[in-house]
Amino acid sequence: MKVTEHIKKANGKTLFSFEIIPPKKGKNIKELYNNIDPLMEFNPPFIDVTTSREEFVYIEKEGLFDRKITRMRPGTLGICAAIKHKYNVDTVPHVLCGGFTKEETEYLLVDCHYLGINNVMALRGDAMKGEQYFKATKGGHTYATQLVNQIKDLNSGKYLHGVLDVDDKADFCIGVAGYPEKHLEAPSMKSDLKRLKEKVDAGADYVVTQMFFDNQKYFEFVDAAKKAGINVPIIPGIKPIAVNRHLQLLPQVFKIDLPETLIHEVEKCKDNKQVRQVGVEWCIQQSKELLDAGVPVLHYYSMGKSDNIKAIASALF
Ligand SMILES: Cc1cc2nc3c(=O)[nH]c(=O)nc-3n(C[C@H](O)[C@H](O)[C@H](O)COP(=O)(O)OP(=O)(O)OC[C@H]3O[C@@H](n4cnc5c(N)ncnc54)[C@H](O)[C@@H]3O)c2cc1C
């Protein structure tokens, strides 16, 4: 089922979902299952699986370093298929512009269709680690809007080499990213919202937000989006703080603000076990307010470890 159909079927009830990241190359998928298993009692209608950009690795060879480009966490589609099969739940692979040609994207979408995966998140992807700016891959897309266009084209039987007389058309439900505190590269909130509107006008069916720790930012974003004519569901994506280092890392990587009270609570902690507990409590409070506001889905960034997400979901669902 499509994400939008799940939302419609829930008839105003807030759903629970989460995002996972593929394991590093060579690691066992069982660890992923061990983290998904405890969350299945909360009936997620869909689970997102991220796609990692390729990165530079340095291999020592006779005293010199050879620079290679590789994807350290491949397997997004395989994991989506495995989870769908094992848990009978819809999965949402993240599809990126960065690192993929349009042809590769087309093949990926064809594979998704054969596997019965009919939801995708269309994203640009970040700059590669070690590079300051996002550079479009040769033969790939520059912005997520172009990716949305390609997926919509495929839905109508238009492939890269022409229109086909297809008897089994794909019908992807498309999610895109939204930023309550503005995308880090956008010159202003207004311009970022305009870009989001372009993605929705191109055919995006729903939006999932970047993490935020102050619900007011989400509520204001939803209001502004509505005023800008964006009328698709806007799913809040939230994450519990898990380690002290997040105080610096999250603002640095995502250009988001952390509320003073949360900073204060984390700074009082003696170790990361206490920080994890503060993160859980903060996230429960955030989630309760979002639930009361009637958000369609509470979508959690699990980062692979599910004990904190389980504690949060147990308090709410
Ligand atoms: C819910 C969610 C899931 C994510 N999952 C992943 C993942 O799995 N893997 C991963 O690598 N990253 C992921 N990301 C991160 C995402 O790839 C980055 O935030 C990336 O920098 C932007 O992606 P986007 O799809 O929002 O890009 P876009 O919508 O293309 O926007 C990128 C920037 O360009 C601007 N822009 C858009 N169109 C134009 C235009 N025509 N002209 C000029 N400027 C324009 C926008 O304002 C914005 O500043 C995720 C983010 C979110 C919120």
Side-chain angles (χ1 to χ4, degrees):
M1 245 163 87
K2 293 180 177 184
V3 167
T4 46
E5 287 169 344
H6 282 297
I7 292 173
K8 212 167 164 196
K9 197 172 146 217
N11 206 11
K13 186 172 167 272
T14 301
L15 301 168
F16 163 80
S17 78
F18 58 95
E19 175 188 288
I20 54 167
I21 52 177
K24 280 201 172 149
K25 258 194 278 207
K27 295 283 170 200
N28 203 313
I29 195 171
K30 280 194 190 123
E31 201 186 318
L32 200 59
Y33 293 151
N34 290 342
N35 279 294
I36 295 174
D37 285 345
L39 300 179
M40 292 316 289
E41 66 175 279
F42 307 107
N43 299 316
F46 61 92
I47 298 172
D48 275 54
V49 184
T50 63
T51 293
S52 298
R53 285 256 8 218
E54 68 282 28
E55 56 190 90
F56 295 114
V57 290
Y58 296 87
I59 299 156
E60 198 185 346
K61 212 168 151 191
E62 293 160 13
L64 295 171
F65 283 96
D66 204 4
R67 192 170 85 158
K68 294 246 182 284
I69 292 181
T70 189
R71 211 174 284 278
M72 294 306 282
R73 293 177 185 270
T76 301
L77 186 59
I79 289 169
C80 282
I83 294 175
K84 185 177 160 67
H85 178 71
K86 183 172 164 65
Y87 299 100
N88 192 23
V89 66
D90 281 308
T91 47
V92 187
H94 289 192
V95 181
L96 300 185
C97 301
F100 295 89
T101 64
K102 292 172 202 169
E103 271 75 17
E104 285 165 339
T105 298
E106 185 169 280
Y107 303 150
L108 176 73
L109 294 170
V110 168
D111 282 341
C112 285
H113 182 47
Y114 287 147
L115 288 164
I117 292 169
N118 60 354
N119 295 287
V120 287
M121 268 298 278
L123 299 147
R124 188 197 70 177
D126 281 319
M128 270 173 70
K129 254 187 224 158
E131 290 199 332
Q132 209 177 349
Y133 302 105
F134 173 86
K135 285 190 207 131
T137 298
K138 199 165 174 261
H141 296 296
T142 310
Y143 296 110
T145 313
Q146 298 162 334
L147 192 51
V148 175
N149 282 324
Q150 182 180 357
I151 302 165
K152 286 304 280 186
D153 279 350
L154 202 107
N155 277 354
S156 61
K158 196 171 157 198
Y159 288 72
L160 290 171
H161 68 284
V163 179
L164 296 182
D165 182 17
V166 282
D167 56 10
D168 180 25
K169 261 190 198 158
D171 185 17
F172 288 105
C173 172
I174 308 168
V176 289
Y179 302 85
E181 296 178 62
K182 184 179 95 53
H183 182 254
L184 63 158
E185 293 161 29
S188 70
M189 192 70 211
K190 200 172 166 196
S191 119
D192 205 25
L193 266 175
K194 192 177 128 208
R195 299 305 182 189
L196 180 59
K197 171 90 164 54
E198 284 170 6
K199 289 195 271 195
V200 173
D201 289 346
D205 298 287
Y206 68 99
V207 175
V208 182
T209 74
Q210 182 57 277
M211 68 184 76
F212 55 88
F213 292 86
D214 173 357
N215 287 345
Q216 205 47 40
K217 301 258 166 69
Y218 168 80
F219 295 134
E220 284 166 11
F221 176 66
V222 172
D223 278 352
K226 278 195 184 132
K227 282 192 189 118
I230 296 166
N231 292 313
V232 295
I234 301 183
I235 298 174
I238 50 177
K239 170 186 162 62
I241 288 244
V243 287
N244 184 290
R245 216 166 88 78
H246 279 159
L247 288 189
Q248 288 80 41
L249 202 66
L250 300 178
Q252 189 193 342
V253 175
F254 302 111
K255 301 286 178 291
I256 53 171
D257 262 0
L258 299 181
E260 287 307 321
T261 330
L262 176 60
I263 299 171
H264 184 64
E265 289 303 315
V266 172
E267 282 175 344
K268 278 198 310 197
C269 293
K270 291 197 182 73
D271 54 33
N272 277 333
K273 195 170 165 223
Q274 288 185 4
V275 174
R276 212 167 169 82
Q277 188 52 32
V278 166
V280 165
E281 281 160 20
W282 187 272
C283 202
I284 289 174
Q285 290 317 316
Q286 255 195 291
S287 304
K288 278 187 176 158
E289 197 183 9
L290 292 165
L291 263 177
D292 289 346
V295 298
V297 183
L298 278 168
H299 185 69
Y300 294 94
Y301 296 116
S302 84
M303 306 304 288
K305 292 267 177 285
S306 65
D307 60 312
N308 51 0
I309 308 296
K310 182 173 165 84
I312 295 159
S314 303
L316 301 159
F317 292 95

